[in-house]
Amino acid sequence: MAALAEAEDAAESIGSNLAEAVVGPVASFAFGQLLSATGITTDSQAQMSAQLDAIISAIATLQTTIDAFRTAFDSAITQVNYDVVAQPLDDLIATNATLGGLFKDLADRDPGDTDGIANTKKLIRAEMDKSIADAPATWNNALAGAAGTTSVLVAWNRVVHTHYEFFGPDAAGAIQKHWAYLDSQQAQAVMHCVEYLNDQGDHDGALRTLADWQTNRTAQLGLLRGMRDAVDNFQWANPTDKTVSTVSTPVKSLPPNVVITTVPDGVRMFCLIISAWVQHGDSDDVSTFNGGLPPLESAVHWQTGCWNWSVMPIPELIDALNHFGGNVGGGGADYFADALKQHGFTVPDGVRLWSDVTRDAYGNPQNQDGYYGTRSIFVDGDSWWNPSTNWGDNACILFQRSLDSGEADNYWYANA
């Protein structure tokens, strides 16, 4: 997990280094000016080498993850033509790999090895023809979907939505890691472009490239759907006042402990609250459990940003648990904990789930089967029972709600 976390920070690392390069002298930092500099110290060269090592390693880790996704999602990738949409990035990614290795070689050269340094710079300049100056714009066109083309970010979102029947943490993670990979590759292309422009003496062009990158990247973030993280943090430089600051940008994310799937009556969102175990006490109405449902509604709202959740009556709870892959309601022991875990829910051992009572059209409990109506507890690995037999029974609640009109756009695109 540590390696993955470092890999996902690759773009931010490049951005931070470039930001420092904009406002700092060559003597203290070499990023963006290594190719054009003539008097880099051994210390700064070693620092540059270590940072390039980290970037190359991080992107390689992300590449392995993306390759695994491509294998696992092969059918969905073919179905939505993802490879066709992403094809313009292939040459750019290959160029990044070549230049990354050459810059690493340059940073590793002994400062006294003037011939070796000159030869490596010659190789870099041969690889960096004027097309490298166009690379940041090409990246943005592919990620943003310029000129009527499909955005690579949109195409991948469709791949994920097509692949996963249940849009939960795994799906959100696939979107997050795909963005981290392309974000890092784009940042590396910007780094190479800035090197090229500085080497050409076009320092104003280098600063414009960085400013355009910030604008474009912010717009790209707006295209992301169903991300794992709710906020993007990135470091940018202000060449005017010589400061580096972290900019936090909210993105559309999947709330924790939430899974979305299609059910017969439309798209349904499920949220399992395990932070508070609810005791039924002495009332038939679930809204009075454990001091009232509103505190639980607040907990769900805090996690999801929405209020209109409901507790499922027995038939709907049975259908939902079986839809997730459980084995419930057959008259014997019920098994659903592993099924919920497989879809990203955090489930305690020996989990119990409340159902709501059957209610009439006005929302009033129908108590035809006793004081507690038909409310029941489902216990994983045991048979379910009516809680009226034990006033001390307690359990978790699996909330559900239908998505509001247009809300699915927070997680995937309408024609995904």
Side-chain angles (χ1 to χ4, degrees):
M1 291 301 294
L4 181 58
E6 291 173 4
E8 291 187 8
D9 289 339
E12 186 175 356
S13 172
I14 298 171
S16 176
N17 294 334
L18 278 168
E20 292 286 356
V22 171
V23 301
V26 173
S28 63
F29 211 87
F31 254 115
Q33 302 172 70
L34 181 64
L35 187 60
S36 58
T38 56
I40 296 177
T41 66
T42 302
D43 287 345
S44 64
Q45 208 162 356
Q47 182 184 20
M48 182 69 171
S49 178
Q51 288 161 339
L52 283 171
D53 262 340
I55 289 168
I56 292 170
S57 175
I59 290 179
T61 299
L62 283 168
Q63 180 71 64
T64 299
T65 302
I66 296 302
D67 288 345
F69 281 148
R70 292 177 70 91
T71 299
F73 300 172
D74 179 67
S75 175
I77 285 172
T78 301
Q79 188 172 334
V80 304
N81 294 320
Y82 173 82
D83 283 337
V84 175
V85 175
Q87 189 275 330
L89 299 179
D90 292 345
D91 289 344
L92 297 176
I93 291 172
T95 297
N96 276 348
T98 300
L99 287 173
L102 289 172
F103 273 110
K104 179 64 171 63
D105 182 46
L106 179 61
D108 286 343
R109 291 282 181 183
D110 187 296
D113 183 10
T114 54
D115 288 342
I117 290 174
N119 286 334
T120 303
K121 286 187 175 182
K122 183 178 180 180
L123 291 173
I124 291 174
R125 289 180 175 122
E127 186 70 26
M128 276 186 166
D129 57 25
K130 187 178 181 301
S131 64
I132 200 70
D134 298 327
T138 304
W139 269 100
N140 182 58
N141 289 340
L143 296 182
T149 61
T150 300
S151 159
V152 175
L153 301 178
V154 173
W156 183 256
N157 182 277
R158 291 172 178 163
V159 167
V160 172
H161 181 253
T162 300
H163 178 78
Y164 287 101
E165 179 184 0
F166 300 91
F167 195 95
D170 287 347
I175 292 175
Q176 185 81 40
K177 292 166 191 174
H178 179 263
W179 163 249
Y181 172 68
L182 294 185
D183 190 29
S184 299
Q185 290 283 4
Q186 178 179 225
Q188 195 178 27
V190 171
M191 181 181 76
H192 296 151
C193 178
V194 169
E195 287 282 2
Y196 170 80
L197 293 173
N198 279 327
D199 187 49
Q200 298 295 308
D202 187 4
H203 304 302
D204 288 341
L207 291 177
R208 284 196 302 273
T209 296
L210 292 169
D212 289 344
W213 177 37
Q214 181 173 7
T215 299
N216 293 339
R217 187 178 182 277
T218 300
Q220 292 161 16
L221 288 170
L223 292 175
L224 296 168
R225 299 288 188 274
M227 290 277 280
R228 185 194 61 203
D229 300 336
V231 177
D232 172 85
N233 297 306
F234 210 85
Q235 288 193 303
W236 300 103
N238 185 333
T240 302
D241 61 12
K242 304 298 181 182
T243 59
V244 176
S245 58
T246 298
V247 176
S248 297
T249 306
V251 297
K252 293 179 178 178
S253 61
L254 185 75
N257 288 326
V258 163
V259 171
I260 304 171
T261 188
T262 301
V263 292
D265 62 345
V267 180
R268 191 73 57 81
M269 177 181 283
F270 299 94
C271 180
L272 179 62
I273 292 297
I274 64 165
S275 58
W277 285 61
V278 185
Q279 189 168 4
H280 71 66
D282 59 358
S283 172
D284 184 49
D285 189 346
V286 72
S287 66
T288 63
F289 283 174
N290 199 28
L293 186 59
L296 287 174
E297 286 182 333
S298 296
V300 181
H301 177 263
W302 177 79
Q303 288 191 299
T304 66
C306 299
W307 285 107
N308 56 329
W309 294 89
S310 64
V311 183
M312 284 174 278
I314 292 174
E316 291 187 28
L317 185 56
I318 290 174
D319 288 345
L321 294 177
N322 288 333
H323 188 55
F324 278 110
N327 185 2
V328 177
D334 296 315
Y335 295 95
F336 55 87
D338 287 343
L340 291 175
K341 289 176 183 177
Q342 288 176 5
H343 296 297
F345 291 115
T346 303
V347 178
D349 293 336
V351 64
R352 299 176 174 186
L353 294 178
W354 278 117
S355 71
D356 194 7
V357 299
T358 302
R359 296 175 180 269
D360 61 23
Y362 303 98
N364 299 315
Q366 294 178 326
N367 301 325
Q368 68 274 19
D369 292 335
Y371 186 77
Y372 289 98
T374 55
R375 181 189 295 113
S376 295
I377 295 178
F378 290 76
V379 182
D380 191 68
D382 206 336
S383 58
W384 56 279
W385 66 84
N386 189 305
S388 61
T389 60
N390 184 346
W391 287 56
D393 287 340
N394 54 35
C396 305
I397 292 181
L398 184 64
F399 288 91
Q400 69 168 352
R401 69 178 181 84
S402 297
L403 269 63
D404 295 331
S405 177
E407 186 186 353
D409 190 51
N410 289 328
Y411 312 110
W412 59 77
Y413 292 85
N415 58 346

